[in-house]
Amino acid sequence: MKIGNLDLGYQPLLLAPMEDVSTPPFRLLCKQYGADLMYTEFVSSEALIRSVNRTMKKMTIVEEERPLAIQIYGKEINAMTEAAKIAEQANPDFIDINFGCPVKKVATKGSGAGMLLNIPLMMEITEAVVKAVNVPVTVKTRLGWDEDSKIIVGLAEQLQDTGIQALTIHGRTRCQMYTGEADWDLIGKVKNNPRMNIPIIGNGDITNPIKAKEAFDKYGVDAIMIGRGAIGKPWLFRDVKHYLKTGELLPPATVSQQVEMLKQQIDGAINWIDEKRGILHMRRHMAGMFKGLYNFKQTRIEMLRSGDYNELMLILDRISEQWGETISED
């Protein structure tokens, strides 16, 4: 699969852009476990053109994590084109436009998935961004706004005509948010539309290797994007790749292995921000680990409440000693 001149190989696995998740430490860990392409957290065009420090920091690229795309969002043509030009200066491999974020503060203001209610403006923005930069431009969107407006098949054709070089589709509507099941049948219809000639990337509910293989085999997508399934489980990319290659499932990670991964990520988060905010940032990742362990409730509470690095390391060491070779639930 290629995006412009960027060759990602056969059946690549992509780490989804996730706010407060897809930071460099997490991206590097997922890269270590086999992710083929990274995206930044989504970047507000308005904040970018105002040079807001936190937004500018989101565009930091670590060479070891390449290839990497910067994802931008917004609802104003001028702001989006200027933001794309600024993002291009950070030297990403390509720029992705977010037309899929469903959260209220984004979508109800007309950005992200909110653009599904204004297709003409979506096309104007996309075409303007494509013309404004010299790197490839891609788009990520959803099936439509609600159950009665699943417009993705026709919309994909329109987006392709603007000059984008790949399209990622999350198999839910905006109104579904992250509930229910992703509709891969519609993603497959886009991929199998004879008029489509750009890569189609499928996204939604890829939480294990079997689902990943089905997405490739049954729906024919060019690549898979993994999002929430990788939170607390960055080794999912390794497991999927092994299964696609051999047809065999790798044994689940033990608690001791998870502890070592978590320590690596905590150190990275602290180096990326600082101790207090780094540990706070890591709580979402820690909450996704060590599920189903017997008599673990109190230890989990201690782990998630800890704000001190040394204390947290002692708790993790205790988890490893007590539950070391145990296999926790996915």
Side-chain angles (χ1 to χ4, degrees), residues 171-191:
R172 289 181 173 86
T173 65
R174 185 273 160 178
C175 288
Q176 279 184 274
M177 300 292 285
Y178 296 101
T179 62
E181 294 185 0
D183 184 351
W184 278 81
D185 285 333
L186 269 178
I187 298 175
K189 285 183 180 179
V190 174
K191 173 57 192 174

PDB file of all heavy atoms in Angstrom, residues 171-191:
ATOM      1  N   GLY A 171     -16.112   2.741  10.999  1.00  0.00           N
ATOM      2  CA  GLY A 171     -17.371   2.123  10.633  1.00  0.00           C
ATOM      3  C   GLY A 171     -18.553   2.439  11.531  1.00  0.00           C
ATOM      4  O   GLY A 171     -19.387   1.560  11.779  1.00  0.00           O
ATOM      5  N   ARG A 172     -18.640   3.651  12.006  1.00  0.00           N
ATOM      6  CA  ARG A 172     -19.795   4.102  12.793  1.00  0.00           C
ATOM      7  C   ARG A 172     -20.223   5.480  12.305  1.00  0.00           C
ATOM      8  O   ARG A 172     -19.460   6.197  11.670  1.00  0.00           O
ATOM      9  CB  ARG A 172     -19.450   4.191  14.288  1.00  0.00           C
ATOM     10  CG  ARG A 172     -19.251   2.850  14.986  1.00  0.00           C
ATOM     11  CD  ARG A 172     -18.931   3.071  16.455  1.00  0.00           C
ATOM     12  NE  ARG A 172     -18.899   1.830  17.220  1.00  0.00           N
ATOM     13  CZ  ARG A 172     -17.830   1.045  17.327  1.00  0.00           C
ATOM     14  NH1 ARG A 172     -16.694   1.389  16.717  1.00  0.00           N
ATOM     15  NH2 ARG A 172     -17.872  -0.069  18.028  1.00  0.00           N
ATOM     16  N   THR A 173     -21.452   5.866  12.636  1.00  0.00           N
ATOM     17  CA  THR A 173     -21.908   7.230  12.388  1.00  0.00           C
ATOM     18  C   THR A 173     -21.470   8.118  13.543  1.00  0.00           C
ATOM     19  O   THR A 173     -21.043   7.638  14.595  1.00  0.00           O
ATOM     20  CB  THR A 173     -23.437   7.291  12.277  1.00  0.00           C
ATOM     21  OG1 THR A 173     -24.005   6.931  13.554  1.00  0.00           O
ATOM     22  CG2 THR A 173     -23.948   6.341  11.199  1.00  0.00           C
ATOM     23  N   ARG A 174     -21.629   9.418  13.348  1.00  0.00           N
ATOM     24  CA  ARG A 174     -21.295  10.326  14.438  1.00  0.00           C
ATOM     25  C   ARG A 174     -22.206  10.084  15.637  1.00  0.00           C
ATOM     26  O   ARG A 174     -21.750  10.086  16.792  1.00  0.00           O
ATOM     27  CB  ARG A 174     -21.423  11.785  13.981  1.00  0.00           C
ATOM     28  CG  ARG A 174     -20.971  12.798  15.040  1.00  0.00           C
ATOM     29  CD  ARG A 174     -22.081  13.189  16.003  1.00  0.00           C
ATOM     30  NE  ARG A 174     -21.525  13.752  17.237  1.00  0.00           N
ATOM     31  CZ  ARG A 174     -22.252  14.218  18.234  1.00  0.00           C
ATOM     32  NH1 ARG A 174     -23.563  14.176  18.167  1.00  0.00           N
ATOM     33  NH2 ARG A 174     -21.685  14.698  19.317  1.00  0.00           N
ATOM     34  N   CYS A 175     -23.487   9.859  15.378  1.00  0.00           N
ATOM     35  CA  CYS A 175     -24.429   9.691  16.484  1.00  0.00           C
ATOM     36  C   CYS A 175     -24.170   8.421  17.288  1.00  0.00           C
ATOM     37  O   CYS A 175     -24.544   8.340  18.456  1.00  0.00           O
ATOM     38  CB  CYS A 175     -25.864   9.707  15.954  1.00  0.00           C
ATOM     39  SG  CYS A 175     -26.390  11.359  15.413  1.00  0.00           S
ATOM     40  N   GLN A 176     -23.538   7.447  16.672  1.00  0.00           N
ATOM     41  CA  GLN A 176     -23.176   6.241  17.420  1.00  0.00           C
ATOM     42  C   GLN A 176     -22.042   6.497  18.402  1.00  0.00           C
ATOM     43  O   GLN A 176     -21.869   5.733  19.355  1.00  0.00           O
ATOM     44  CB  GLN A 176     -22.726   5.140  16.447  1.00  0.00           C
ATOM     45  CG  GLN A 176     -23.836   4.373  15.783  1.00  0.00           C
ATOM     46  CD  GLN A 176     -23.280   3.259  14.916  1.00  0.00           C
ATOM     47  OE1 GLN A 176     -22.938   3.467  13.765  1.00  0.00           O
ATOM     48  NE2 GLN A 176     -23.189   2.073  15.479  1.00  0.00           N
ATOM     49  N   MET A 177     -21.277   7.540  18.159  1.00  0.00           N
ATOM     50  CA  MET A 177     -20.063   7.774  18.943  1.00  0.00           C
ATOM     51  C   MET A 177     -19.188   6.516  18.882  1.00  0.00           C
ATOM     52  O   MET A 177     -18.698   6.169  17.831  1.00  0.00           O
ATOM     53  CB  MET A 177     -20.422   8.140  20.387  1.00  0.00           C
ATOM     54  CG  MET A 177     -21.270   9.393  20.518  1.00  0.00           C
ATOM     55  SD  MET A 177     -20.412  10.913  20.064  1.00  0.00           S
ATOM     56  CE  MET A 177     -19.352  11.148  21.494  1.00  0.00           C
ATOM     57  N   TYR A 178     -19.028   5.807  20.009  1.00  0.00           N
ATOM     58  CA  TYR A 178     -18.239   4.565  20.018  1.00  0.00           C
ATOM     59  C   TYR A 178     -19.087   3.386  20.503  1.00  0.00           C
ATOM     60  O   TYR A 178     -18.558   2.375  20.937  1.00  0.00           O
ATOM     61  CB  TYR A 178     -17.008   4.735  20.902  1.00  0.00           C
ATOM     62  CG  TYR A 178     -16.058   5.772  20.369  1.00  0.00           C
ATOM     63  CD1 TYR A 178     -16.035   7.053  20.910  1.00  0.00           C
ATOM     64  CD2 TYR A 178     -15.215   5.481  19.301  1.00  0.00           C
ATOM     65  CE1 TYR A 178     -15.177   8.018  20.403  1.00  0.00           C
ATOM     66  CE2 TYR A 178     -14.356   6.441  18.789  1.00  0.00           C
ATOM     67  CZ  TYR A 178     -14.345   7.703  19.342  1.00  0.00           C
ATOM     68  OH  TYR A 178     -13.499   8.663  18.833  1.00  0.00           O
ATOM     69  N   THR A 179     -20.420   3.531  20.393  1.00  0.00           N
ATOM     70  CA  THR A 179     -21.317   2.470  20.844  1.00  0.00           C
ATOM     71  C   THR A 179     -21.672   1.541  19.682  1.00  0.00           C
ATOM     72  O   THR A 179     -21.418   1.848  18.511  1.00  0.00           O
ATOM     73  CB  THR A 179     -22.611   3.066  21.416  1.00  0.00           C
ATOM     74  OG1 THR A 179     -23.295   3.795  20.379  1.00  0.00           O
ATOM     75  CG2 THR A 179     -22.303   4.004  22.576  1.00  0.00           C
ATOM     76  N   GLY A 180     -22.289   0.409  20.015  1.00  0.00           N
ATOM     77  CA  GLY A 180     -22.670  -0.535  18.987  1.00  0.00           C
ATOM     78  C   GLY A 180     -21.460  -1.136  18.290  1.00  0.00           C
ATOM     79  O   GLY A 180     -20.335  -1.026  18.772  1.00  0.00           O
ATOM     80  N   GLU A 181     -21.695  -1.785  17.167  1.00  0.00           N
ATOM     81  CA  GLU A 181     -20.615  -2.404  16.420  1.00  0.00           C
ATOM     82  C   GLU A 181     -20.301  -1.605  15.161  1.00  0.00           C
ATOM     83  O   GLU A 181     -21.190  -1.015  14.547  1.00  0.00           O
ATOM     84  CB  GLU A 181     -20.999  -3.839  16.020  1.00  0.00           C
ATOM     85  CG  GLU A 181     -21.144  -4.786  17.204  1.00  0.00           C
ATOM     86  CD  GLU A 181     -21.411  -6.210  16.756  1.00  0.00           C
ATOM     87  OE1 GLU A 181     -21.479  -6.448  15.525  1.00  0.00           O
ATOM     88  OE2 GLU A 181     -21.558  -7.080  17.629  1.00  0.00           O
ATOM     89  N   ALA A 182     -19.035  -1.582  14.799  1.00  0.00           N
ATOM     90  CA  ALA A 182     -18.637  -0.930  13.554  1.00  0.00           C
ATOM     91  C   ALA A 182     -19.195  -1.701  12.368  1.00  0.00           C
ATOM     92  O   ALA A 182     -19.211  -2.938  12.357  1.00  0.00           O
ATOM     93  CB  ALA A 182     -17.114  -0.868  13.473  1.00  0.00           C
ATOM     94  N   ASP A 183     -19.678  -0.976  11.358  1.00  0.00           N
ATOM     95  CA  ASP A 183     -20.269  -1.570  10.163  1.00  0.00           C
ATOM     96  C   ASP A 183     -19.195  -1.717   9.089  1.00  0.00           C
ATOM     97  O   ASP A 183     -18.946  -0.796   8.306  1.00  0.00           O
ATOM     98  CB  ASP A 183     -21.420  -0.690   9.662  1.00  0.00           C
ATOM     99  CG  ASP A 183     -22.149  -1.293   8.467  1.00  0.00           C
ATOM    100  OD1 ASP A 183     -21.661  -2.298   7.919  1.00  0.00           O
ATOM    101  OD2 ASP A 183     -23.198  -0.743   8.086  1.00  0.00           O
ATOM    102  N   TRP A 184     -18.562  -2.865   9.066  1.00  0.00           N
ATOM    103  CA  TRP A 184     -17.507  -3.110   8.086  1.00  0.00           C
ATOM    104  C   TRP A 184     -18.065  -3.406   6.710  1.00  0.00           C
ATOM    105  O   TRP A 184     -17.342  -3.302   5.701  1.00  0.00           O
ATOM    106  CB  TRP A 184     -16.601  -4.235   8.573  1.00  0.00           C
ATOM    107  CG  TRP A 184     -15.578  -3.735   9.548  1.00  0.00           C
ATOM    108  CD1 TRP A 184     -15.755  -3.495  10.875  1.00  0.00           C
ATOM    109  CD2 TRP A 184     -14.226  -3.385   9.255  1.00  0.00           C
ATOM    110  NE1 TRP A 184     -14.599  -3.010  11.438  1.00  0.00           N
ATOM    111  CE2 TRP A 184     -13.638  -2.941  10.465  1.00  0.00           C
ATOM    112  CE3 TRP A 184     -13.447  -3.407   8.102  1.00  0.00           C
ATOM    113  CZ2 TRP A 184     -12.315  -2.516  10.543  1.00  0.00           C
ATOM    114  CZ3 TRP A 184     -12.127  -2.986   8.167  1.00  0.00           C
ATOM    115  CH2 TRP A 184     -11.576  -2.540   9.380  1.00  0.00           C
ATOM    116  N   ASP A 185     -19.349  -3.779   6.609  1.00  0.00           N
ATOM    117  CA  ASP A 185     -19.935  -4.017   5.289  1.00  0.00           C
ATOM    118  C   ASP A 185     -19.875  -2.753   4.434  1.00  0.00           C
ATOM    119  O   ASP A 185     -19.558  -2.806   3.242  1.00  0.00           O
ATOM    120  CB  ASP A 185     -21.390  -4.473   5.423  1.00  0.00           C
ATOM    121  CG  ASP A 185     -21.501  -5.911   5.898  1.00  0.00           C
ATOM    122  OD1 ASP A 185     -20.565  -6.699   5.645  1.00  0.00           O
ATOM    123  OD2 ASP A 185     -22.517  -6.249   6.542  1.00  0.00           O
ATOM    124  N   LEU A 186     -20.161  -1.609   5.043  1.00  0.00           N
ATOM    125  CA  LEU A 186     -20.114  -0.358   4.282  1.00  0.00           C
ATOM    126  C   LEU A 186     -18.675   0.024   3.933  1.00  0.00           C
ATOM    127  O   LEU A 186     -18.418   0.569   2.867  1.00  0.00           O
ATOM    128  CB  LEU A 186     -20.789   0.769   5.076  1.00  0.00           C
ATOM    129  CG  LEU A 186     -22.277   0.964   4.808  1.00  0.00           C
ATOM    130  CD1 LEU A 186     -22.840   2.081   5.691  1.00  0.00           C
ATOM    131  CD2 LEU A 186     -22.530   1.283   3.336  1.00  0.00           C
ATOM    132  N   ILE A 187     -17.747  -0.248   4.837  1.00  0.00           N
ATOM    133  CA  ILE A 187     -16.335  -0.006   4.508  1.00  0.00           C
ATOM    134  C   ILE A 187     -15.948  -0.862   3.304  1.00  0.00           C
ATOM    135  O   ILE A 187     -15.271  -0.393   2.373  1.00  0.00           O
ATOM    136  CB  ILE A 187     -15.431  -0.323   5.709  1.00  0.00           C
ATOM    137  CG1 ILE A 187     -15.763   0.598   6.888  1.00  0.00           C
ATOM    138  CG2 ILE A 187     -13.948  -0.187   5.321  1.00  0.00           C
ATOM    139  CD1 ILE A 187     -15.006   0.278   8.172  1.00  0.00           C
ATOM    140  N   GLY A 188     -16.402  -2.121   3.304  1.00  0.00           N
ATOM    141  CA  GLY A 188     -16.132  -3.008   2.185  1.00  0.00           C
ATOM    142  C   GLY A 188     -16.740  -2.519   0.887  1.00  0.00           C
ATOM    143  O   GLY A 188     -16.140  -2.660  -0.188  1.00  0.00           O
ATOM    144  N   LYS A 189     -17.921  -1.924   0.952  1.00  0.00           N
ATOM    145  CA  LYS A 189     -18.561  -1.397  -0.261  1.00  0.00           C
ATOM    146  C   LYS A 189     -17.749  -0.258  -0.864  1.00  0.00           C
ATOM    147  O   LYS A 189     -17.661  -0.126  -2.093  1.00  0.00           O
ATOM    148  CB  LYS A 189     -19.981  -0.923   0.060  1.00  0.00           C
ATOM    149  CG  LYS A 189     -20.977  -2.054   0.247  1.00  0.00           C
ATOM    150  CD  LYS A 189     -22.384  -1.527   0.498  1.00  0.00           C
ATOM    151  CE  LYS A 189     -23.365  -2.679   0.682  1.00  0.00           C
ATOM    152  NZ  LYS A 189     -24.738  -2.189   0.940  1.00  0.00           N
ATOM    153  N   VAL A 190     -17.168   0.551   0.003  1.00  0.00           N
ATOM    154  CA  VAL A 190     -16.309   1.625  -0.503  1.00  0.00           C
ATOM    155  C   VAL A 190     -15.080   1.032  -1.175  1.00  0.00           C
ATOM    156  O   VAL A 190     -14.710   1.415  -2.290  1.00  0.00           O
ATOM    157  CB  VAL A 190     -15.889   2.581   0.630  1.00  0.00           C
ATOM    158  CG1 VAL A 190     -14.872   3.605   0.110  1.00  0.00           C
ATOM    159  CG2 VAL A 190     -17.104   3.291   1.210  1.00  0.00           C
ATOM    160  N   LYS A 191     -14.448   0.083  -0.509  1.00  0.00           N
ATOM    161  CA  LYS A 191     -13.236  -0.523  -1.057  1.00  0.00           C
ATOM    162  C   LYS A 191     -13.519  -1.213  -2.384  1.00  0.00           C
ATOM    163  O   LYS A 191     -12.688  -1.160  -3.310  1.00  0.00           O
ATOM    164  CB  LYS A 191     -12.644  -1.524  -0.048  1.00  0.00           C
ATOM    165  CG  LYS A 191     -11.473  -2.316  -0.598  1.00  0.00           C
ATOM    166  CD  LYS A 191     -10.351  -1.412  -1.082  1.00  0.00           C
ATOM    167  CE  LYS A 191      -9.316  -2.188  -1.885  1.00  0.00           C
ATOM    168  NZ  LYS A 191      -8.300  -1.295  -2.487  1.00  0.00           N
TER     169      LYS A 191
END
